[in-house]
Amino acid sequence: MKKRYVRMVLVVIVMISSLSNVFASEESDYVVKDLTLDDLNGKVVGVQTGCLYETHLLKRCPDVNIEFFADPSTMILALKQGKLFAMLTESNSYLCERRFHPGLKYIEEVLEKIDCAVMFSPSGRQEKLREEMNAFIAEYINSGEREDMEDYWLDNSDLDSCVVDRSGITGENGKLVVAVESGYEPFSFVSKGEVSGFDVDFVYRFARKYGYSPEFYLTTFDALSAAVASGKADLGMNVVLSDERSDGAIFSDPYNTYNLIATVYEKSENKESFFEKTGNSFYKTFVKESRYELFLYGMYVTLIICILSIVIGTVAGLLLYLLLRERIKALTRFTELFGWVIHAMPTVLFLMILSYVVFASAKLNGIIVSVIGFSVLFCFTMYDLIVSGVKAVGKGQYEAARAQGFTDKSTFFLIQNPQAISHFLPAYKGEVISIIKDSSIVGYIAVMDLTKISDIVRSRTYEAFFPLITTALIYFLIMALLIFAVNKVGLPFDKTKRKTKKILKGIDVSKYGDYLEKIGKLPSIF
Amino acid sequence: MIEIIHLKKEFQGVVPLKDVSVKINDGDVISVIGPSGTGKSTLLRCINRLTEATSGKILIDGIDILDNNSDINSLRRKIGMVFQSFNLYEHLTAVENVMLAQTKLLGKSRQEAFDKSMELLKSVGMIDHALYYPSELSGGQKQRVAIARTLSTDPEIILFDEPTSALDPLMVSEVENIIEKLSKQGRTMMIVTHSMNFAKKISNRVFYLDEGGIYEDGTPEQIFENPKRQKTRNYIFRLSNLEIVMEYGFSGLSQAMQSISEFGEKHKLGQRAIFRLQLVFEEYCVACLMPEQRQGETIIARISYREEKDSLTLNVRHNIKGIGKGMNDLSEKILSSYAKIRNENGTDDHEICFEL
């Protein structure tokens, strides 16, 4: 019954969405005729972070106000809402964006021609790779392969039908880790659960020829050069050449050139009703290319990171506390200082240091690095919680237990900990929530968690509202789930809520019936 | 038997126990009394090592418990302790408080432990409250449960650290009655207390702690009726003293008069009493004794006020040779009109007491 209902909704949504895919066709319709780049002066213009386009813009229009955005979809949303007058985009990306937002028009004058190259990691084989890459690029340009590729990827209005030829990879010369931006149509993006696009095709062609087996490291532009420089990846694709950048890094010859243009938004008459719009968004966000699978994967990653970090962190915090109970002063002071330093740092910085500095050379999976990072954070949080909880129990009960002959450890487990837990459980729940929230930054070290998946999907649909709201809802669900679990686990420790039956488990109290009944606490079976 | 040998405890900058050596026999019920800060609790806590002694030995049945090689946890089972602040395990009911050490330390079954706990709770009159949490009990009830908990491991020695100090006056007697009952069962007990009547009633031995050690050790009769040493007397009789020492050629007379008047004001003796005190002091010490004083001879005047009985005495000791009482008939007449003159040592005239 339920299934049929869901299916019917899907069918309706598909029908609505197919109706709405009607585009204007003439290229000249998209040119804004009465605007030039000079008109951008004094206006607010959106630029994507990490691309260095702002320098070109400032050269041409010195009075422009620049606002930075992490991804094109939020930038387009701002443009549509009128917060931006215009935004900078590459000509190729513009074509992709236009598919979903027919109201996007561009100023004909080109701001700059942008050269993009491959960046190499200083891993020892960079010179060899660069020679091979430069030779490949030269041949690629001369042989006409470039025109084919550009025809196929860049001028194609239906990216969903494009596929990368992944055959013929021998890998005899080893693995090649390639960092690409995860949501950058038409160069690199996630389609049908796989990374695809112009750059991916390019890398496969190169790898086929030189006997490498490529592996893709999905990241953002602002973290891409750090990933390559630290050796997490061997290559970084589509890096804009600039004087500053070529100083410290090794680049290939440019393999791709595109125009940097400014786009504005002209409101077209929108005939879609709210329901159609929502249905359409739902279809694009979840149904198309089975993107719900991506969301499920993201949820799974977020859950795995959170649950593992919370469990490991809790146990490690407890062990740390037990270790420091031995009253080794220097160790305690060191731990407190270390915990303080870690907690004082923004979590994203801590995670990036962990990934790009501490574990830079170890080719650890990003999920493992995240779990390590959050476990360490949670471990120190847990330590602090136990310390404060035990303090709240007071010294008297500790002394009473020691005086009876309990050891330090059994005093902790029998007397202090059961009470400390109910003291710190509310704070613990808060920490669980903050770990779930903090886990949304793992995208910075190329982990496909829920937030990152939402970014990737947004980079395909060029819509912000629907994916953001649904992602928020999913986070809420995860939070509710974990808090429910914590409550379930924590409940038995709330001793004051025990039933009389449980207190007297396994004890024959029949001869004390008179006394116990008198206090009215026992069920009537006595 | 507990034998304490040269026990010393030093906190940062303070030495409450300088050198304590004492033997405690099996079955002794000892009240430990003394002003605050004299190390009464510290002494008790050193015996079960809740406080680590700085140096010395404590032998219990020949085993030095301060030796780090001895198994302190099993030794502690022989020594029960009752605290001023009860220290019940807040997350457990009364009966579970009594059961815990039995099941976890003595390895008894839950049923055995429960039966014994109920028996103990009954003996302290708390069986009706077996399933109450400590937070649901009054102070006196908590302390009774705490006593039952202490008894649950059958300790050979029980230490009571001011068991009634934190209680409402109305609840003191319910706890004292239980301790009194226990004191008649032949257990070795040490009780730090401020209540002398209670100490008199239950103990066969009293330690008065002062000056960093056991200042006076005796039976309750000795300590409470006839304490030998000055500080004990001061404490027991709530005495306060003013001592004026006059060497040969004493010149601080006006200062002495001033301090007598201050002493009187401090204890609210009233102007008449102060005047009489000054008069007696002047007449006897200054007019009678001082003219006879020679090189190397000393007069010591001690003014004592015993708050408990509201009695004021002037006690004068001297070592002036060959003057008998040292007062002529006129002086004696004047003095006896102000005070009752008592010769302290009978035959010897070197100590005279004036009761004002």
Side-chain angles (χ1 to χ4, degrees):
Chain A
M1 182 61 202
K2 243 181 193 170
K3 254 186 184 168
R4 193 179 300 161
Y5 181 65
V6 171
R7 209 174 296 154
M8 262 172 60
V9 171
L10 286 182
V11 168
V12 171
I13 291 163
V14 170
M15 276 169 61
I16 293 164
S17 62
S18 55
L19 281 174
S20 63
N21 282 342
V22 183
F23 296 116
S25 48
E26 287 294 313
E27 185 61 34
S28 58
D29 290 348
Y30 290 107
V31 178
V32 206
K33 296 191 180 67
D34 46 357
L35 279 180
T36 65
L37 287 177
D38 295 315
D39 295 320
L40 298 183
N41 273 321
K43 299 274 170 40
V44 186
V45 176
V47 176
Q48 201 177 343
T49 27
C51 302
L52 307 182
Y53 295 156
E54 59 277 10
T55 46
H56 303 298
L57 183 60
L58 284 171
K59 235 184 277 166
R60 180 71 173 75
C61 318
D63 291 331
V64 76
N65 296 318
I66 293 174
E67 236 174 68
F68 289 97
F69 287 83
D71 61 276
S73 58
T74 43
M75 193 150 68
I76 292 172
L77 188 67
L79 190 67
K80 280 174 123 174
Q81 289 168 344
K83 287 177 190 156
L84 295 178
F85 176 74
M87 60 180 246
L88 289 192
T89 183
E90 303 91 49
S91 43
N92 308 102
S93 304
Y94 167 70
L95 289 177
C96 301
E97 289 154 9
R98 202 168 73 184
R99 288 182 295 146
F100 297 98
H101 303 284
L104 284 175
K105 310 279 159 87
Y106 66 97
I107 297 169
E108 203 166 18
E109 188 190 344
V110 172
L111 177 62
E112 189 69 53
K113 277 207 172 316
I114 301 290
D115 282 332
C116 286
V118 183
M119 183 183 174
F120 299 96
S121 155
S123 59
R125 53 176 182 168
Q126 69 270 35
E127 281 311 318
K128 178 171 173 278
L129 277 172
R130 182 156 79 150
E131 267 170 40
E132 288 171 352
M133 184 58 82
N134 282 344
F136 177 76
I137 289 171
E139 204 198 322
Y140 157 84
I141 292 170
N142 295 330
S143 67
E145 207 176 347
R146 180 182 187 167
E147 276 81 47
D148 293 346
M149 285 262 292
E150 284 179 353
D151 280 348
Y152 188 69
W153 289 105
L154 306 188
D155 298 333
N156 198 326
S157 64
D158 186 15
L159 270 184
D160 298 335
S161 66
C162 295
V163 280
V164 176
D165 177 14
R166 293 169 210 256
S167 65
I169 296 298
T170 57
E172 71 232 30
N173 290 330
K175 216 169 72 174
L176 205 58
V177 182
V178 184
V180 293
E181 152 73 55
S182 57
Y184 184 43
E185 288 187 344
F187 296 101
S188 48
F189 52 91
V190 177
S191 170
K192 302 181 185 78
E194 250 183 335
V195 61
S196 175
F198 178 93
D199 282 345
V200 178
D201 197 357
F202 182 85
V203 168
Y204 266 100
R205 282 163 198 257
F206 170 74
R208 194 177 296 121
K209 188 155 184 184
Y210 290 92
Y212 294 106
S213 88
E215 194 175 278
F216 289 89
Y217 184 86
L218 301 192
T219 177
T220 52
F221 270 128
D222 36 359
L224 188 139
S225 40
V228 176
S230 69
K232 283 267 157 207
D234 300 306
L235 305 181
M237 297 305 290
N238 227 313
V239 183
V240 175
L241 284 174
S242 78
D243 297 342
E244 193 187 359
R245 270 182 175 169
S246 38
D247 264 358
I250 311 132
F251 286 100
S252 73
D253 297 334
Y255 71 98
N256 185 19
T257 304
Y258 45 71
N259 295 334
L260 189 57
I261 54 172
T263 58
V264 294
Y265 190 77
E266 279 178 9
K267 267 204 177 116
S268 55
E269 265 179 48
N270 204 337
K271 283 170 231 138
E272 278 182 325
S273 72
F274 173 77
F275 287 109
E276 282 172 329
K277 243 162 71 183
T278 315
N280 198 2
S281 294
F282 181 83
Y283 173 76
K284 279 195 287 185
T285 307
F286 291 114
V287 183
K288 201 176 177 195
E289 292 185 358
S290 312
R291 283 180 188 141
Y292 67 89
E293 284 176 4
L294 285 178
F295 275 98
L296 285 179
Y297 178 74
M299 237 175 114
Y300 162 77
V301 170
T302 296
L303 267 174
I304 282 286
I305 290 175
C306 292
I307 292 174
L308 281 181
S309 307
I310 289 166
V311 171
I312 296 173
T314 304
V315 174
L318 182 66
L319 291 177
L320 182 69
Y321 175 79
L322 289 177
L323 185 72
L324 295 183
R325 248 175 108 86
E326 307 291 337
R327 301 211 181 80
I328 307 163
K329 255 192 192 150
L331 195 62
T332 311
R333 215 163 287 163
F334 171 77
T335 310
E336 270 160 12
L337 184 74
F338 190 66
W340 185 72
V341 166
I342 286 182
H343 278 300
M345 217 184 313
T347 317
V348 63
L349 254 176
F350 172 65
L351 206 63
M352 283 175 86
I353 289 174
L354 213 56
S355 176
Y356 296 131
V357 181
V358 180
F359 296 118
S361 47
K363 291 251 185 290
L364 276 184
N365 184 315
I367 296 183
I368 296 176
V369 175
S370 311
V371 170
I372 293 174
F374 285 112
S375 298
V376 169
L377 281 175
F378 206 75
C379 166
F380 284 103
T381 307
M382 186 68 192
Y383 169 76
D384 287 343
L385 286 178
I386 300 179
V387 169
S388 64
V390 167
K391 224 176 235 169
V393 176
K395 224 180 156 206
Q397 294 184 49
Y398 174 79
E399 285 187 341
R402 294 310 304 276
Q404 278 201 298
F406 286 103
T407 61
D408 178 70
K409 289 278 179 299
S410 49
T411 303
F412 174 73
F413 283 110
L414 290 170
I415 313 293
Q416 292 178 310
N417 197 38
Q419 296 178 67
I421 287 176
S422 44
H423 284 300
F424 72 61
L425 203 62
Y428 183 85
K429 282 182 213 163
E431 294 297 337
V432 165
I433 290 172
S434 79
I435 275 283
I436 298 170
K437 284 184 186 170
D438 280 354
S439 77
S440 67
I441 58 166
V442 295
Y444 274 95
I445 58 165
V447 176
M448 300 286 133
D449 77 315
L450 190 52
T451 303
K452 182 72 184 168
I453 290 295
S454 147
D455 289 346
I456 287 173
V457 170
R458 273 187 295 136
S459 75
R460 296 298 315 280
T461 62
Y462 297 93
E463 266 186 21
F465 179 76
F466 203 73
L468 286 179
I469 296 291
T470 40
T471 310
L473 271 174
I474 297 173
Y475 268 110
F476 175 75
L477 282 179
I478 291 179
M479 240 165 245
L481 186 76
L482 289 190
I483 291 300
F484 177 75
V486 170
N487 278 339
K488 269 268 172 276
V489 174
L491 192 66
F493 291 103
D494 196 347
K495 293 278 177 183
T496 49
K497 285 193 181 146
R498 290 174 309 160
K499 296 260 157 55
T500 311
K501 229 180 192 173
K502 207 170 170 196
I503 297 173
L504 298 174
K505 207 172 148 195
I507 294 170
D508 174 21
V509 292
S510 45
K511 50 180 159 164
Y512 306 105
D514 284 351
Y515 297 112
L516 298 177
E517 240 172 335
K518 217 185 281 175
I519 62 177
K521 282 203 164 192
L522 282 183
S524 54
I525 50 162
F526 297 115
Chain B
M1 192 178 76
I2 308 174
E3 195 174 357
I4 300 173
I5 305 163
H6 297 305
L7 183 75
K8 183 184 176 188
K9 175 62 195 176
E10 191 175 351
F11 293 109
Q12 276 171 334
V14 195
V15 191
L17 300 176
K18 280 184 197 136
D19 185 3
V20 177
S21 292
V22 73
K23 273 187 194 173
I24 297 163
N25 302 315
D26 285 343
D28 270 356
V29 176
I30 299 170
S31 290
V32 182
I33 60 169
S36 53
T38 47
K40 302 185 298 291
S41 291
T42 309
L43 176 65
L44 236 61
R45 291 165 62 89
C46 281
I47 293 176
N48 69 354
R49 277 183 75 177
L50 281 183
T51 298
E52 293 288 344
T54 311
S55 62
K57 281 183 182 175
I58 297 175
L59 304 179
I60 295 183
D61 298 331
I63 304 164
D64 182 9
I65 66 153
L66 301 189
D67 183 359
N68 279 327
N69 293 325
S70 53
D71 180 3
I72 183 65
N73 289 321
S74 60
L75 280 167
R76 274 178 178 153
R77 280 175 220 167
K78 292 190 191 172
I79 313 166
M81 188 159 194
V82 176
F83 297 85
Q84 180 179 354
S85 50
F86 333 123
N87 298 343
L88 289 179
Y89 309 137
E90 297 284 334
H91 62 306
L92 299 176
T93 55
V95 69
E96 286 172 295
N97 264 279
V98 187
M99 282 168 71
L100 191 72
Q102 296 183 64
T103 53
K104 300 290 175 185
L105 293 177
L106 307 179
K108 285 190 184 172
S109 76
R110 276 169 61 78
Q111 185 69 53
E112 269 180 284
F114 184 78
D115 289 340
K116 172 150 190 184
S117 303
M118 290 302 264
E119 199 182 295
L120 287 169
L121 286 176
K122 196 174 179 180
S123 73
V124 297
M126 288 298 294
I127 192 163
D128 287 350
H129 294 73
L131 291 178
Y132 280 58
Y133 283 95
S135 55
E136 298 164 328
L137 301 176
S138 74
Q141 291 173 325
K142 280 187 204 178
Q143 195 62 297
R144 279 144 68 192
V145 174
I147 290 170
R149 177 178 68 180
T150 304
L151 294 173
S152 70
T153 48
D154 290 317
E156 292 164 20
I157 305 148
I158 307 178
L159 310 172
F160 293 84
D161 188 2
E162 303 194 25
T164 57
S165 298
L167 295 177
D168 204 279
L170 290 171
M171 296 167 181
V172 169
S173 62
E174 69 183 56
V175 172
E176 284 184 346
N177 289 342
I178 285 164
I179 299 174
E180 195 185 343
K181 211 162 78 184
L182 282 176
S183 69
K184 298 192 171 112
Q185 294 173 0
R187 279 196 180 80
T188 312
M189 288 170 39
M190 273 178 94
I191 302 145
V192 173
T193 182
H194 288 292
S195 161
M196 290 186 219
N197 285 333
F198 179 57
K200 250 184 248 175
K201 227 192 303 181
I202 63 160
S203 46
N204 66 345
R205 207 171 155 189
V206 177
F207 289 170
Y208 173 76
L209 259 62
D210 208 330
E211 293 186 350
I214 298 173
Y215 183 82
E216 195 165 341
D217 171 4
T219 63
E221 292 74 36
Q222 273 169 21
I223 300 285
F224 292 119
E225 310 302 334
N226 193 17
K228 288 208 176 62
R229 300 187 64 185
Q230 187 57 46
K231 283 201 172 175
T232 318
R233 278 149 86 156
N234 293 351
Y235 181 77
I236 300 288
F237 300 139
R238 267 169 283 172
L239 279 180
S240 48
N241 296 302
L242 175 69
E243 205 167 63
I244 300 164
V245 180
M246 288 155 284
E247 303 283 354
Y248 175 69
F250 180 70
S251 61
L253 199 59
S254 62
Q255 273 159 303
M257 293 313 243
Q258 177 69 24
S259 53
I260 290 172
S261 128
E262 277 167 11
F263 177 84
E265 275 157 21
K266 192 171 125 199
H267 295 288
K268 302 194 174 67
L269 297 181
Q271 281 308 316
R272 274 177 62 87
I274 294 170
F275 176 72
R276 278 191 341 197
L277 190 57
Q278 282 173 334
L279 204 121
V280 172
F281 173 76
E282 206 173 354
E283 181 60 33
Y284 185 58
C285 296
V286 181
C288 301
L289 294 180
M290 271 175 136
E292 308 294 329
Q293 197 178 12
R294 288 182 293 263
Q295 188 76 38
E297 291 172 336
T298 310
I299 308 162
I300 299 172
R302 185 194 286 121
I303 299 161
S304 298
Y305 176 65
R306 189 165 163 177
E307 198 186 316
E308 180 200 14
K309 290 188 176 157
D310 193 26
S311 75
L312 183 65
T313 53
L314 171 68
N315 178 303
V316 182
R317 279 181 293 146
H318 63 87
N319 55 358
I320 302 169
K321 280 171 197 130
I323 57 159
K325 272 185 191 168
M327 49 186 132
N328 54 33
D329 290 346
L330 180 61
S331 298
E332 192 161 357
K333 218 169 193 178
I334 295 171
L335 285 167
S336 55
S337 72
Y338 287 111
K340 201 173 137 198
I341 303 168
R342 203 149 44 82
N343 198 334
E344 281 287 289
N345 289 357
T347 52
D348 191 353
D349 289 332
H350 292 303
E351 187 165 351
I352 302 257
C353 188
F354 301 92
E355 284 177 25
L356 284 115

